[in-house]
Amino acid sequence: MRYYLKKRMENIVSMKLLLPVLSACALAVLSGCAKKSEPTATAGTVTLNYANFPPASTFPCVQMEHWKSEIEKRTGGKVKVNTYPGGTLLGAKDIFDGVIAGTADIGNFAMSYQPGRFPVSEAIDLPLGFTSAKAASLALYDLLEKYPQEFEKVKLLTVFTCPPADFMTTKPVKSLKDLKGMELRVSGTGAEAVKKLGAIPIAMPQSETPEALQKGVVKGVVSSMEILQDFNFAAYTPYATETNLFVVTFAVVMNKEKWNALPADVKKVLDDLRREQAEWTGKYVDDHVTEAVKWSKQKYNLQIIKLPASEMAEIPKLTKPMIDDYVKRVSAKGLAGDKIMKDVYMLRDKYEKQFKK
C-alpha cells in the first residue's frame, strides 16, 4: 500500500513539473497556428488592401472593382482584395506615398494632383487632342513602358486616363470667343489650357461646384462628360461643347516589398492584367460618357454643341506654348523633353488611328 501511495505522489509531482512545459508547448502550437492564419505570400490567402480616392460610383473605382474581381478569379481565390473607395484609407494626395510606406498595399491616384513629380506622365495630360480614353490610356501605358523611372519606388500595376475634357456650361459656348472671361471650374493641367483659350480657371472641390454653378460663381465646368451623370452636373449645366481639350492620367501602384513577397504565379497574373486593364478602363469610361450624355439629354434636355472645324484648329495653336514650356521644364530636369514629346505624338497618332470613331 505504501508503495502505491509513494508512486502516486511521484506521478503528481511529475505532472506539476510537466504542466509549465506542456503550457509552453501549447502556446507555441497556438502561436504557430495564429501565424499560419495570417495572410502571407507563401501560405494561405494573400490579402491586399487597395486605396482609392473618388466615390465608389465613379469610373476609377469601377475599374478598381473590375481589377479585384479579375485577380480573385484568375488566382482561384488565392488572392483577396479589400477595396477602400472615397479616401477612406488614404486621401487623394497621400496615396502614392502611402503605398510606398505600406499604409496601403495598392493605390490609385491622379498624377496631376502632384505637379512636377511625374514629368513623363504629365506629357499625356497636355492638350493634345485625344478623342478617347482608350487611345490616351494605351498611349500612356506605352510611354511609361519606355520611360519607367518615375515609378521606380513602386510596382506599376496599370495606368489609364479619363476621357477628353469638354466644356459643360450654364450658357452656350458656340465659339472660342464665348469663352472670353468665363469663370470655369477646372483642375490640374487643365487650368492653364483654359486660360490659354481666354477663360478664367477657378479651383474648387467637386462637391462645392453645384452650389457655385447655381449662384453664378462659376459659369461652367471643364471635365470629361461622365460627370454629367455621376455627379448630376447635367442638372446645372444645360450645354456641353466638345473640344477634346485634355485628359487626366491615373496610375495604380503597389508597395514594392509586398510585390516582392508574392508567389511567382500570382505575380504573373498581375503582370498579365496590366495592359488589358488599361484598355478595359479606357473602353469602359468612353462607353460610360456615351451613356451619360444620352441620360442627360433624356432627363435634362442637354444640348451638345460642336465647334466649327476652323475653331477646333485654333485650339492647338493657342495651347502650343504649354507644349513648349513642358519641353523646357523637363529638359531642365535632365529628361529628353523633345524626345518624350515626339514619342507622345507618335503614340497619339497610332492609337487615334486604331480607335478612330
XYZ file of all heavy atoms in Angstrom, residues 93 110-115 122 125-126 185-195 201-204 222 246-249 322:
230
model
N -4.058 62.992 -52.351
C -2.670 63.422 -52.473
C -1.705 62.583 -51.640
O -0.494 62.784 -51.692
C -2.543 64.898 -52.088
C -3.291 65.835 -53.035
C -3.133 67.287 -52.625
C -3.886 68.204 -53.579
N -3.765 69.636 -53.183
N -4.272 60.224 -59.228
C -4.094 61.048 -60.427
C -2.758 61.775 -60.342
O -2.471 62.441 -59.348
C -5.233 62.055 -60.551
N -1.939 61.629 -61.370
C -0.601 62.231 -61.350
C -0.633 63.755 -61.273
O 0.230 64.377 -60.662
C 0.195 61.793 -62.579
C 0.817 60.408 -62.448
S -0.368 59.066 -62.674
C 0.001 58.551 -64.342
N -1.646 64.371 -61.875
C -1.708 65.833 -61.907
C -1.963 66.448 -60.537
O -1.827 67.653 -60.356
C -2.800 66.294 -62.882
O -4.069 65.829 -62.463
N -2.329 65.607 -59.542
C -2.542 66.122 -58.188
C -1.221 66.495 -57.513
O -1.220 67.132 -56.464
C -3.271 65.081 -57.332
C -4.770 65.046 -57.549
C -5.320 65.314 -58.797
C -5.640 64.731 -56.518
C -6.690 65.269 -59.009
C -7.020 64.684 -56.717
C -7.531 64.961 -57.963
O -8.893 64.921 -58.168
N -0.107 66.053 -58.113
C 1.219 66.384 -57.563
C 2.100 66.926 -58.696
O 2.970 66.214 -59.203
C 1.844 65.146 -56.925
C 1.027 64.609 -55.754
C 1.623 63.350 -55.139
O 2.729 63.379 -54.623
N 0.888 62.263 -55.197
N 1.858 68.164 -59.126
C 2.566 68.741 -60.280
C 4.081 68.665 -60.128
O 4.624 68.940 -59.055
C 2.094 70.199 -60.284
C 0.796 70.186 -59.551
C 0.926 69.118 -58.515
N 3.005 63.624 -67.230
C 2.429 64.950 -67.493
C 2.333 65.249 -68.982
O 1.500 66.056 -69.398
C 3.250 66.034 -66.811
C 2.981 66.168 -65.323
C 3.836 67.255 -64.683
O 4.340 68.136 -65.420
O 4.005 67.219 -63.454
N -1.025 64.523 -70.136
C -2.012 65.468 -69.594
C -2.117 66.758 -70.414
O -3.062 67.530 -70.226
C -1.646 65.854 -68.149
C -1.978 64.755 -67.143
O -3.009 64.096 -67.315
O -1.198 64.570 -66.191
N -1.167 67.012 -71.277
C -1.161 68.248 -72.072
C -2.324 68.244 -73.075
O -2.843 67.183 -73.432
C 0.169 68.377 -72.806
C 1.404 68.622 -71.923
C 2.687 68.392 -72.709
C 1.383 70.032 -71.333
N -14.887 76.060 -63.511
C -14.246 75.163 -62.546
C -13.386 74.168 -63.313
O -13.868 73.445 -64.193
C -15.312 74.427 -61.721
C -14.737 73.633 -60.538
C -14.378 72.218 -60.910
N -13.768 71.511 -59.795
C -13.208 70.326 -59.867
N -13.152 69.683 -61.027
N -12.664 69.766 -58.805
N -12.088 74.124 -62.990
C -11.166 73.223 -63.669
C -10.007 72.936 -62.733
O -9.709 73.737 -61.837
C -10.665 73.841 -65.009
C -9.873 75.110 -64.768
C -9.888 72.830 -65.833
N -9.346 71.800 -62.919
C -8.239 71.442 -62.030
C -7.025 70.988 -62.827
O -7.122 70.694 -64.023
C -8.659 70.331 -61.059
O -9.024 69.166 -61.779
N -5.875 70.911 -62.144
C -4.651 70.369 -62.734
C -4.175 71.129 -63.954
O -4.306 72.357 -64.065
N -3.625 70.376 -64.910
C -3.083 70.944 -66.143
C -4.148 71.706 -66.919
O -3.848 72.652 -67.646
C -2.512 69.822 -67.040
O -1.626 69.024 -66.268
C -1.766 70.390 -68.228
N -5.402 71.305 -66.745
C -6.496 71.945 -67.473
C -6.631 73.424 -67.194
O -7.129 74.176 -68.046
N -6.205 73.868 -66.014
C -6.336 75.289 -65.659
C -5.569 76.167 -66.643
O -6.078 77.197 -67.106
C -5.840 75.518 -64.235
N -4.359 75.774 -66.989
C -3.550 76.555 -67.921
C -4.128 76.493 -69.332
O -4.136 77.501 -70.057
C -2.104 76.047 -67.921
C -1.127 76.894 -68.719
C -0.996 78.330 -68.233
O -1.223 78.582 -67.024
O -0.694 79.206 -69.068
N -4.645 75.340 -69.723
C -5.259 75.196 -71.054
C -6.465 76.104 -71.193
O -6.652 76.774 -72.227
C -5.656 73.745 -71.290
N -7.291 76.166 -70.156
C -8.480 77.016 -70.154
C -8.085 78.487 -70.245
O -8.700 79.285 -70.968
C -9.318 76.739 -68.885
C -10.303 77.856 -68.610
C -10.041 75.408 -69.012
N -7.014 78.834 -69.531
C -6.523 80.212 -69.552
C -6.047 80.602 -70.949
O -6.293 81.728 -71.414
C -5.382 80.364 -68.544
C -5.021 81.810 -68.206
C -3.806 81.890 -67.293
C -4.073 81.271 -65.949
N -2.904 81.417 -65.043
N -9.851 80.176 -65.086
C -9.934 78.920 -64.325
C -10.163 79.183 -62.843
O -9.524 80.056 -62.246
C -8.564 78.280 -64.560
C -7.648 79.424 -64.860
C -8.472 80.487 -65.514
N -11.078 78.434 -62.264
C -11.380 78.536 -60.837
C -11.183 77.155 -60.211
O -11.769 76.173 -60.671
C -12.839 78.996 -60.582
C -13.130 80.326 -61.291
C -13.113 79.099 -59.082
C -12.408 81.526 -60.741
N -10.354 77.116 -59.179
C -10.124 75.846 -58.472
C -11.087 75.729 -57.305
O -11.219 76.672 -56.513
C -8.686 75.772 -57.984
N -11.772 74.600 -57.211
C -12.651 74.334 -56.072
C -12.962 72.843 -56.031
O -12.888 72.170 -57.060
C -13.956 75.143 -56.166
C -14.883 74.742 -57.284
S -16.497 75.585 -57.181
C -16.000 77.285 -57.291
N -15.050 72.263 -66.625
C -14.240 71.667 -67.691
C -13.774 70.305 -67.192
O -12.968 70.203 -66.261
C -13.032 72.552 -68.054
C -12.308 71.980 -69.271
C -13.477 73.983 -68.327
N -8.113 68.063 -73.053
C -7.020 67.371 -72.355
C -7.583 66.141 -71.669
O -8.799 65.969 -71.574
C -6.355 68.292 -71.316
C -7.295 68.773 -70.236
C -7.514 68.017 -69.087
C -7.985 69.972 -70.383
C -8.400 68.441 -68.106
C -8.878 70.405 -69.403
C -9.083 69.650 -68.264
N -6.708 65.270 -71.198
C -7.103 64.128 -70.375
C -6.377 64.218 -69.040
O -5.442 65.008 -68.891
C -6.789 62.772 -71.053
C -7.555 62.623 -72.365
C -5.289 62.605 -71.267
N -6.809 63.419 -68.082
C -6.143 63.334 -66.779
C -5.609 61.917 -66.621
O -6.343 60.941 -66.833
C -7.110 63.674 -65.625
C -6.432 63.483 -64.267
C -7.631 65.104 -65.766
N -4.333 61.801 -66.270
C -3.697 60.483 -66.148
C -3.818 59.923 -64.730
O -3.756 60.652 -63.750
C -2.208 60.556 -66.527
O -1.566 61.577 -65.740
C -2.040 60.900 -68.001
N 2.118 75.835 -74.061
C 2.151 74.864 -72.962
C 3.083 73.697 -73.301
O 3.805 73.196 -72.428
C 0.750 74.328 -72.674
C -0.208 75.341 -72.101
S -1.847 74.615 -71.787
C -1.466 73.411 -70.523
